[in-house]
Amino acid sequence: MFARSLWSDRDFSVFWAVQALSEVGNAFSLVALPLLVLHTTGSAAQMGLLTAVAGATSLLTGMVGGTWADRFDRRRLLMLCDAARLVLYGAIPVCWALSPQIWLLYVVMALASVFEMLFKITYVTAVANLVDKEQIVAANGRLEATNAVAYIAGPALAGVVAGFFGPTAAVAINAGSFGISLVGLAFIRFRPIARLPADEAESNAARAQDLRSGFRAGAAFLWRTPVLRALTVLLTVTTFLSLGMTDVFIYHLRHGLGRDERTVGYVLALAGLGTCAAAAATARLRRSWGFGPCWLGAMSLCSVSVLVLGETGRVSVAAVTICLYSFGMALAGVCSMSLRQQVTPDHLLGRVTSAFWTIHGSLAPLGAALLTALVGRLGARGPLTAVALVFLAVVVGAAFTPIRQRRPEQTAVPLPQSRPTHARLTREESHGDDAEARR
């Protein structure tokens, strides 16, 4: 009955369908843009610099994107992001048809990453405005499963298109996918955002002049909510190590196990299937086991998988362990996102999401660089063993926090703020502190 209720939700079904197509287009860019840069310049360093520019603008957007997602109409904001990316990515094949200009890629990626991050933040808040709270886990599971399928099929299709028609054709398809999403969003009705009482809304309107207050409001809510605080801290550790894992997998398969690129592609496709399986199973597992056992079990599975991967010399075992690692990461991720959506007040969800992503992802690029450097110098076995032990330590630490609870969404109430003195209150207001207590 639960599944039938979600499937019969017209607005969510349209949202799910158009985002599935949009994600396939996004997956095209994973192959198309590197090929375009290498075809034009022959330099891998140029692609690295392009990625750095995109990453920097994404991080800056994450600081303020949550405030925008909470202040403005979310459907229109999603449509704006799709329209902007349609124009930006569409400019690339048009320009290349006339005369290739590498500087255009830097401009497009810098601006597109702003709208990409803003879309992701608003996308998370939109789910809470489309389905009931008890449907959030199932809705996220379906979206995550679709995304995983897209990132299996998308790169393969992009390679075929680029091979026959050139990389710019694949970029054009990516641009077109945003147009499809834009049209689909025009036919969706979102539920109204739950607003603050009038007196608090007036205060927030005055403080909105300082966009940084939105990030502080989200971070303050995370800190005051014990289960979200524990998740943010522990995920900062795991994300520090996990961002570079795909690179480590590829290196280990190619150099450690001596396999060709075709085998690498098959193994990574299997990893995508692990993500799909986790997304499809999350709602059922969460209902049966509860949040704590699911999250702790998922991270334990990641720890064991990484440990076995570092020890094995057989590609079949490596493929299975990488698949299980992807399953565990996806299960933990969907559970975490769903819990955040369930316990955060609707008017604050965008700011909490952006603060959460910005905080726990802030050290990830450094971690990826460090991990891949160690693997390149020492081989995969030692670093992967260290990663497995850190993951295990995260599981042990989480067992002593509210993360261990089966139903933390029923008890997760932010801790009360200490009452500030008049001088402190004046100083906080002058700096736009937007910290709010949950209802």
Side-chain angles (χ1 to χ4, degrees), residues 154-233:
L157 292 174
V160 173
V161 171
F164 279 102
F165 305 105
T168 54
V171 175
I173 292 176
N174 183 29
S177 70
F178 296 125
I180 295 174
S181 177
L182 174 63
V183 173
L185 287 170
F187 293 95
I188 295 174
R189 293 172 298 175
F190 280 26
R191 300 172 186 178
I193 300 175
R195 297 296 182 183
L196 292 172
D199 56 339
E200 293 185 18
E202 290 178 2
S203 176
N204 284 335
R207 295 170 183 173
Q209 295 178 0
D210 183 358
L211 291 175
R212 292 174 300 175
S213 66
F215 177 83
R216 287 199 294 269
F221 184 86
L222 291 172
W223 183 254
R224 295 199 311 274
T225 309
V227 65
L228 296 184
R229 179 174 66 220
L231 278 172
T232 303
V233 172

Side-chain angles (χ1 to χ4, degrees), residues 6-7 12 16-17 19-21 23-24 27 123 136-154 269 271-283 326-327 330-331 333-335 337-338:
L6 186 58
W7 278 107
F12 177 77
W16 168 70
Q19 292 315 307
L21 292 173
E23 284 301 316
V24 172
Y123 175 96
I136 284 177
V137 177
N140 284 330
R142 193 196 300 181
L143 289 166
E144 186 65 25
T146 305
N147 293 346
V149 171
Y151 279 89
I152 294 172
L273 292 178
T275 302
C276 288
T282 298
S326 299
F327 181 95
L331 176 59
V334 175
C335 285
M337 181 171 62
S338 300

Side-chain angles (χ1 to χ4, degrees), residues 25-43:
N26 268 334
F28 264 61
S29 66
L30 292 179
V31 174
L33 288 176
L35 287 176
L36 186 60
V37 173
L38 293 175
H39 183 267
T40 305
T41 68
S43 170

Side-chain angles (χ1 to χ4, degrees), residues 92-156:
I92 294 176
V94 172
C95 177
W96 252 248
L98 300 174
S99 176
Q101 300 291 335
I102 192 65
W103 62 265
L104 178 66
L105 294 182
Y106 286 93
V107 174
V108 168
M109 288 302 294
L111 294 176
S113 63
V114 170
F115 292 103
E116 177 74 20
M117 176 58 74
L118 182 57
F119 186 93
K120 287 180 178 179
I121 294 171
T122 312
Y123 175 96
V124 171
T125 65
V127 174
N129 294 137
L130 284 170
V131 301
D132 297 330
K133 281 191 176 292
E134 61 269 17
Q135 296 174 312
I136 284 177
V137 177
N140 284 330
R142 193 196 300 181
L143 289 166
E144 186 65 25
T146 305
N147 293 346
V149 171
Y151 279 89
I152 294 172

Side-chain angles (χ1 to χ4, degrees), residues 233-248:
V233 172
L234 293 177
L235 284 176
T236 300
V237 177
T238 59
T239 306
F240 177 81
L241 298 172
S242 63
L243 183 62
M245 287 300 290
T246 299
D247 294 330
V248 174

Side-chain angles (χ1 to χ4, degrees), residues 374-392:
L374 288 175
V375 169
R377 180 180 292 270
L378 304 175
R381 181 177 181 180
L384 286 178
T385 300
V387 170
L389 293 176
V390 173
F391 282 175
L392 181 60

